[in-house]
Amino acid sequence: MKSLKINLEENADLGKLTELLIQIKGIKSVEIINHENEESDLKKAVNKSKEQLKSGDYESFVNDLFETFVNKKS
């Protein structure tokens, strides 16, 4: 699969951009990814894991880790 990366301005109309791109022949899907939120989500997950390990909640930590790999997005 090939992909295209487009950097957008803060005020870009994401809905209209998505509609426009979907109309182009050969485009299967459009996914808008906000890398700023990804980093904060990762940071939240790491902090949660640290707290689980500190409190001795190893079972939850292992279950969360397992769920992450089994249910990862494609």
Side-chain angles (χ1 to χ4, degrees), residues 4 7-8 12 22-25 27 29 33 40-41 58-59 65-66 70-71 73:
L4 171 68
N7 293 313
L8 302 172
I22 289 293
Q23 293 179 18
I24 299 172
K25 182 179 179 180
I27 293 183
S29 66
I33 300 171
S40 65
D41 289 345
Y58 303 111
E59 185 176 346
L65 189 62
F66 182 74
V70 170
N71 294 328
K73 295 177 184 177

Side-chain angles (χ1 to χ4, degrees), residues 1 22 26-31:
M1 177 167 76
I22 289 293
I27 293 183
K28 185 176 177 181
S29 66
V30 175
E31 180 180 356

Side-chain angles (χ1 to χ4, degrees), residues 10-33:
E10 289 295 320
N11 60 350
D13 187 345
L14 302 180
K16 292 287 184 188
L17 180 61
T18 301
E19 289 176 24
L20 177 67
L21 291 173
I22 289 293
Q23 293 179 18
I24 299 172
K25 182 179 179 180
I27 293 183
K28 185 176 177 181
S29 66
V30 175
E31 180 180 356
I32 306 295
I33 300 171

Side-chain angles (χ1 to χ4, degrees), residues 42 45-46 48-50 52-53 57-73:
L42 177 60
V46 168
K48 179 181 176 186
S49 297
K50 283 181 184 179
Q52 287 173 326
L53 291 173
D57 190 5
Y58 303 111
E59 185 176 346
S60 293
F61 172 75
V62 171
N63 287 340
D64 289 348
L65 189 62
F66 182 74
E67 284 295 317
T68 299
F69 289 109
V70 170
N71 294 328
K72 74 178 188 180
K73 295 177 184 177

